[in-house]
Amino acid sequence: MHKVRVIPTLLHKDFGLVKGTSFDASRAVGSPVQAIRVYEMRGVDELVLLDVSATLNGRPPDLVLIDELVDECFMPVTVGGGVRTVEHVGQLLEVGADKVCIGTAAIEDPGLVEQAASRFGSQCIVVSIDVRRVDGAMVVTSRCGTTLLERTVDEVLRSVQDAGAGELLVQSVDRDGTMSGFDLELLRTIGALSSVPVIASGGAGTYDDLVAAMGVAGVDAVAAASMFHFTEQTPFGAKDALRRAGFPVRT
């Protein structure tokens, strides 16, 4: 079994760190540079940096800001937000990102994933699949959860996976920021179909939630934001809980 990765997620808007619920990231929570330094000292496995305003504002990644933030990271870092072209992917890798997360553009045009994977390798291409519940059904969204798509989770997953995605960041829009637990049914559905690693995101509130994502849904990594920002729980404590539950973790 692969070792489980515990991945803090940092959402930034302009120069500030933000957090909210259901992808409404309106609450300022501090400096991304300071948060990165704290996580660096705590030896986290990886870090995800997502610009939550780039896509909605129709602008490309802020390369100057990303360069500054990535310079603080000595752990692997995935960067996303506003990525719409192969050139954007290359630019982010050039300023130091280890992986690039593509959301809306990947869902709307899997050809972008194919081109990026062909040029840079699937290992650095992460596709974000953001899902809302509508009358109980799982509906894929784009544009930061604001647009519902008339495509099933299965269809989207297969298209981006066939295009060359190396990893999937599966996010529950409804659970985001609630700390009420992951959408395990969603994770099970995607986990059963995916041949690439799956990162669970959206809803983590306790160590037990992380254990459930591993034990019930069988994901490859667990991501959390509010849990680490607003509680006493830490990535180190998360690893310890996973280890005690029988899952191998990175030291």
Side-chain angles (χ1 to χ4, degrees):
M1 178 185 290
H2 295 298
K3 292 186 177 179
V4 182
R5 291 168 290 152
V6 175
I7 308 176
T9 301
L10 297 178
L11 309 179
H12 63 93
K13 187 175 183 180
D14 300 321
F15 291 94
L17 196 64
V18 296
K19 197 66 190 80
T21 57
S22 301
F23 281 29
D24 178 16
S26 57
R27 178 180 179 183
V29 294
S31 162
V33 171
Q34 184 59 38
I36 290 170
R37 289 173 179 170
V38 169
Y39 285 131
E40 178 62 40
M41 289 188 295
R42 292 179 175 177
V44 301
D45 297 324
E46 296 182 21
L47 201 62
V48 170
L49 294 173
L50 299 178
D51 184 334
V52 298
S53 62
T55 294
L56 289 178
N57 292 337
R59 63 171 175 76
D62 185 336
L63 297 175
V64 174
L65 175 60
I66 295 300
D67 191 9
E68 177 185 344
L69 296 179
V70 171
D71 280 348
E72 299 290 337
C73 298
F74 297 94
M75 76 291 274
V77 58
T78 297
V79 176
V83 180
R84 299 192 304 275
T85 68
V86 175
E87 288 69 31
H88 290 160
V89 176
Q91 290 165 347
L92 288 171
L93 294 174
E94 286 178 4
V95 299
D98 296 280
K99 304 176 190 176
V100 175
C101 183
I102 312 175
T104 294
I107 302 301
E108 297 180 351
D109 178 19
L112 171 60
V113 177
E114 185 174 7
Q115 295 172 43
S118 177
R119 184 178 298 186
F120 305 110
S122 292
Q123 79 286 341
C124 65
I125 305 301
V126 180
V127 171
S128 174
I129 300 180
D130 307 332
V131 179
R132 281 187 183 274
R133 292 281 185 166
V134 179
D135 296 327
M138 293 180 284
V139 178
V140 179
T141 71
S142 65
R143 303 183 184 277
C144 297
T146 62
T147 301
L148 303 180
L149 303 181
E150 295 182 358
R151 299 170 65 194
T152 67
V153 171
D154 295 12
E155 290 171 341
V156 169
L157 185 148
R158 293 184 193 282
S159 68
V160 299
Q161 189 168 269
D162 290 347
E167 197 163 24
L168 304 175
L169 176 64
V170 180
Q171 306 196 92
S172 167
V173 178
D174 305 297
R175 301 292 183 97
D176 174 62
T178 65
M179 294 193 287
S180 61
F182 293 110
D183 185 334
L184 297 178
E185 181 185 6
L186 168 63
L187 297 177
R188 277 196 300 268
T189 297
I190 290 185
L193 296 170
S194 178
S195 60
V196 299
V198 173
I199 305 169
S201 180
T206 68
Y207 298 144
D208 286 343
D209 292 334
L210 308 184
V211 171
M214 286 301 306
V216 177
V219 300
D220 299 273
V222 285
S226 295
M227 173 178 165
F228 296 141
H229 291 323
F230 305 132
T231 78
E232 297 299 317
Q233 297 168 106
T234 66
F236 178 82
K239 288 186 180 184
D240 186 56
L242 288 162
R243 184 186 298 110
R244 286 187 283 104
F247 298 105
V249 296
R250 299 180 180 183
T251 57

